Amino acid sequence: MVILLIIGGSASQKLAANIAREMRESLCPMETHKFPDGERYIRIKGEVEDGVIVVQSTGYPHDENLLELFLILKTLKNMEIENIKVVIPYFGYGRQEKAFNKGEAVSAEVVSQLIEFCGASEVYCINLHEDGICDLFQIPAFNLSAIPVIADYLKNKLNDPLIVAPDRGALGFAEEIANIMRCDYEYLEKNRISPEVVETKIKKLDIKGREVVIIDDIISTGGTIVNATEILKKLGSSRILVSCVHPVLVEDSLLKIFAAGADQVIATDTLKSEVSCVSVAGLLADALK
Ligand code: R5P
């Protein structure tokens, strides 16, 4: 029998523990702290034999979480562990997968190359902002979808809801959820003016007294969801449930979403947050088995 120890990085300890429970594997003890000057210390304390699964989201603080991941991976590589599966539930820097303007760093490429250099043999991510990130790796890289897990959570909690994508990019998610929940879906037209400012066109939708679920991959500043929520509220929706895979939730974004009229916000635990109530542990455990 192949024994896989599971290491949870600082950003994903609870998720790592839940994956270990789902897989009936053990957690690998690891010591991690910062020196007084702020530099990170890592020590793998478990006896890794056949292989290891490292779980670390690389959301805020991105650079610290990334560096910790690199240190863990390279330590395992130095220990001559060949089977190193890396789970990155939220892939930071995933929105810069190409140079949109001349001279820009292709951050996602640099990150993927460093992960590989440090010793990863396989990579598992969830709802990457761009599917193409998998192609930046020379090793097997998988992009799993948490949408069915979200749909499962929502099932039986709502009465014939309308699933709404807050922009065209999220239309596929809305369709996927609607197919699973056997209900209708729609989308709104969004125009991004800047990283902080978005415009959303008002659309005539017959939703007076109807429950609505908004679905997006990421909630970052909350601008996209705030606009969608305000529009759906004005159209007379009786209940607005906001859902997303990755709750990046910059500053007071959650407050703004509730202030706009959302009744509930739910997200997965790819990132730790106060609305991370849907676990992707089972999804990851199935893929890793
Ligand atoms: C956009 O392409 C994404 O799917 C999200 O809509 C976006 O990242 C959300 O950002 P924000 O919350 O800042 O509007």
Side-chain angles (χ1 to χ4, degrees):
M1 197 177 86
V2 178
I3 297 173
L4 290 168
L5 283 188
I6 298 179
I7 295 181
S10 299
S12 303
Q13 295 181 1
K14 187 175 170 195
L15 179 57
N18 287 336
I19 294 171
R21 190 171 305 120
E22 291 276 347
M23 295 182 74
R24 295 169 196 267
E25 300 283 2
S26 303
L27 284 167
C28 175
M30 179 183 78
E31 187 183 334
T32 173
H33 61 77
K34 280 188 185 173
F35 287 107
D37 62 358
E39 291 180 359
R40 170 77 46 192
Y41 171 89
I42 288 288
R43 184 172 173 204
I44 312 274
K45 289 180 140 182
E47 290 303 321
V48 185
E49 286 173 20
D50 304 328
V52 66
I53 296 170
V54 180
V55 188
Q56 172 80 321
S57 260
T58 53
Y60 184 82
H62 308 80
D63 301 349
E64 284 195 19
N65 288 329
L66 271 173
L67 187 73
E68 185 184 289
L69 176 62
F70 299 148
L71 294 178
I72 296 169
L73 294 177
K74 191 62 173 58
T75 308
L76 291 163
K77 189 178 176 183
N78 292 349
M79 290 161 72
E80 296 182 0
I81 309 300
E82 279 173 18
N83 179 8
I84 306 175
K85 295 184 183 190
V86 186
V87 176
I88 309 174
Y90 174 74
F91 191 97
Y93 287 105
R95 286 193 268 187
Q96 191 75 32
E97 85 292 354
K98 61 182 179 193
F100 297 92
N101 298 296
K102 192 170 170 239
E104 281 181 352
V106 184
S107 320
E109 182 186 50
V110 176
V111 167
S112 55
Q113 287 176 354
L114 285 170
I115 289 168
E116 216 168 309
F117 167 79
C118 290
S121 42
E122 282 178 22
V123 177
Y124 295 77
C125 304
I126 295 185
N127 293 100
L128 283 163
H129 193 60
E130 289 299 333
D131 230 359
I133 290 174
C134 285
D135 303 330
L136 299 173
F137 289 95
Q138 307 293 314
I139 51 175
F142 306 95
N143 183 18
L144 312 174
S145 173
I147 298 298
V149 187
I150 293 176
D152 256 11
Y153 178 89
L154 294 171
K155 242 197 250 168
N156 308 324
K157 286 194 173 66
L158 299 144
N159 181 23
D160 187 30
L162 177 72
I163 313 296
V164 177
D167 57 28
R168 267 181 192 270
L171 185 55
F173 305 136
E175 184 179 5
E176 202 178 335
I177 292 200
N179 286 342
I180 297 170
M181 292 178 67
R182 295 173 192 275
C183 55
D184 304 329
Y185 64 98
E186 265 291 353
Y187 73 95
L188 300 173
E189 290 278 3
K190 179 186 93 178
N191 184 22
R192 183 168 290 284
I193 314 290
S194 72
E196 293 84 18
V197 182
V198 289
E199 276 178 359
T200 310
K201 274 193 201 155
I202 296 170
K203 188 172 189 178
K204 274 197 173 177
L205 296 171
D206 188 12
I207 54 164
K208 208 167 172 47
R210 191 164 178 194
E211 295 184 322
V212 167
V213 175
I214 305 173
I215 176 72
D216 207 348
D217 58 346
I218 299 173
I219 301 178
S220 181
T221 65
T224 302
I225 297 294
V226 165
N227 285 2
T229 303
E230 282 174 352
I231 290 171
L232 298 169
K233 190 85 188 164
K234 272 191 199 134
L235 291 171
S237 165
S238 61
R239 182 178 172 209
I240 300 173
L241 196 153
V242 171
S243 59
C244 76
V245 179
H246 307 297
V248 172
L249 300 177
V250 173
E251 293 170 353
D252 58 349
S253 52
L254 202 51
L255 194 64
K256 287 181 189 152
I257 292 168
F258 282 116
D263 293 284
Q264 199 181 340
V265 181
I266 64 144
T268 78
D269 54 358
T270 59
L271 290 168
K272 292 185 274 191
S273 82
E274 55 186 299
V275 294
S276 301
C277 56
V278 183
S279 185
V280 291
L283 170 73
L284 286 164
D286 287 346
L288 289 159
K289 267 175 204 162

